[in-house]
Amino acid sequence: MVFVLTAGRGRGRHLEQVNLHAGDIHLIPAGVEHQPLDVGDLEGWIVGFDPTLLSTPERLPGRPRIRGDAKDAPVRSLFLRGLLRLRPGEPRRQRIERLVAEMDTELREAQWGADNAALALFTLLITELIRELSEHAPLASPMLSGLVQDALRFIEAHCLEPLSLQDVASAVGRTPSHLANAIRRETGLTVGDWLREHRIAEARRRLLETDASIESIADQVGYADVTHFIRTFRRAQGMTPRVFRDQRRRPGA
């Protein structure tokens, strides 16, 4: 879901409590719980869509370089947990709001070709969001310290490899206990949780976009034991990998 806030302010909750302001765009991935806490005088749009519309991995939010910074933002980690917030400049904000309004008009009036027109507008909307991600630093939740962001960047880069808490701690120059406490305190997740988030997200993509076997995908995303992979996937998605693939790929799904 994409929340495009056009006026007012309020409060909501994704993983953490967040302040909501006019001009903000919040990206909420599938499966992340979110709720309003104080709607206040907020106005705006909510764009909900099936993530399989983003048919290639290149069209998903990437890992853009922060302008003027030597480090990459941990965009995929923030996106996975619903902590990615954009605040585009006035020209792009106006384009985004106009695209969403035109999508709404096409879908409500349902004239000939409305679905195709809405999909074209959706593609333009995603393009603007990806451009914003590529050109400017995403605004992470203020709870994330530099240490935790460094750790998340390392996990993102190596999540499909064998990886332990000790590996991550060594990469950021802290003791395992210190890092484990910091990540748990600031994100509510452990290093193992973050690894699982990334691996299951990649497994979902490969299940939908490739014809690789379940056994092969398990190995590709870091699970040597396919039974363990299936059990982990079912806990995360509420269904087995095979059922997930079959349901999402059937005609009309």
Side-chain angles (χ1 to χ4, degrees):
M1 302 183 76
V2 180
F3 287 73
V4 180
L5 306 179
T6 59
R9 62 175 55 197
R11 292 182 302 115
R13 182 181 298 280
H14 305 327
L15 180 64
E16 279 284 312
Q17 180 174 307
V18 291
N19 292 319
L20 308 172
H21 300 278
D24 286 352
I25 297 176
H26 291 259
L27 308 182
I28 313 297
V32 172
E33 293 185 8
H34 55 277
Q35 64 183 110
L37 297 178
D38 177 12
V39 175
D41 56 351
L42 275 174
E43 297 179 14
W45 305 91
I46 301 174
V47 181
F49 62 94
D50 188 323
T52 59
L53 282 174
L54 306 174
S55 57
T56 63
E58 289 76 14
R59 296 179 67 185
L60 288 169
R63 301 175 64 246
R65 179 74 64 181
I66 298 178
R67 182 171 297 175
D69 195 325
K71 296 181 178 179
D72 288 330
V75 172
R76 286 195 179 276
S77 296
L78 300 173
F79 182 75
L80 283 172
R81 298 305 299 172
L83 295 174
L84 191 57
R85 174 167 55 97
L86 307 177
R87 187 173 290 161
E90 189 67 16
R92 177 162 288 147
R93 183 186 63 78
Q94 290 183 358
R95 286 197 297 275
I96 288 171
E97 291 182 10
R98 184 170 63 251
L99 287 168
V100 177
E102 291 176 2
M103 286 173 58
D104 179 67
T105 298
E106 288 289 346
L107 294 172
R108 280 191 299 103
E109 295 184 352
Q111 298 183 41
W112 181 89
D115 288 346
N116 286 338
L119 182 58
L121 291 165
F122 172 77
T123 300
L124 291 173
L125 171 65
I126 293 298
T127 298
E128 290 294 343
L129 296 177
I130 298 298
R131 286 174 176 172
E132 183 65 22
L133 280 169
S134 300
E135 295 169 12
H136 301 93
L139 301 172
S141 169
M143 69 177 182
L144 296 181
S145 65
L147 170 62
V148 169
Q149 292 200 45
D150 286 344
L152 294 182
R153 277 189 287 268
F154 185 81
I155 292 170
E156 285 181 12
H158 301 279
C159 62
L160 302 186
E161 307 166 13
L163 196 64
S164 68
L165 172 60
Q166 178 64 60
D167 296 328
V168 183
S170 296
V172 298
R174 295 291 193 276
T175 65
S177 61
H178 178 83
L179 179 64
N181 289 335
I183 290 179
R184 184 61 179 265
R185 180 177 64 252
E186 296 186 25
T187 73
L189 301 178
T190 66
V191 167
D193 292 334
W194 279 109
L195 274 174
R196 183 174 60 253
E197 292 275 342
H198 284 286
R199 288 173 174 174
I200 295 301
E202 181 62 17
R204 289 196 302 265
R205 186 186 73 78
R206 297 188 188 207
L207 285 165
L208 296 176
E209 297 180 8
T210 77
D211 293 319
S213 68
I214 305 299
E215 292 77 8
S216 177
I217 290 175
D219 183 65
Q220 292 168 21
V221 301
Y223 290 90
D225 182 350
V226 67
T227 301
H228 178 48
F229 166 68
I230 293 172
R231 188 163 51 242
T232 301
F233 190 95
R234 183 164 48 199
R235 281 200 302 266
Q237 295 295 138
M239 64 186 75
T240 66
R242 191 173 307 281
V243 172
F244 176 84
R245 171 181 267 173
D246 291 344
Q247 285 189 355
R248 293 299 186 95
R249 281 187 163 187
R250 70 171 181 260

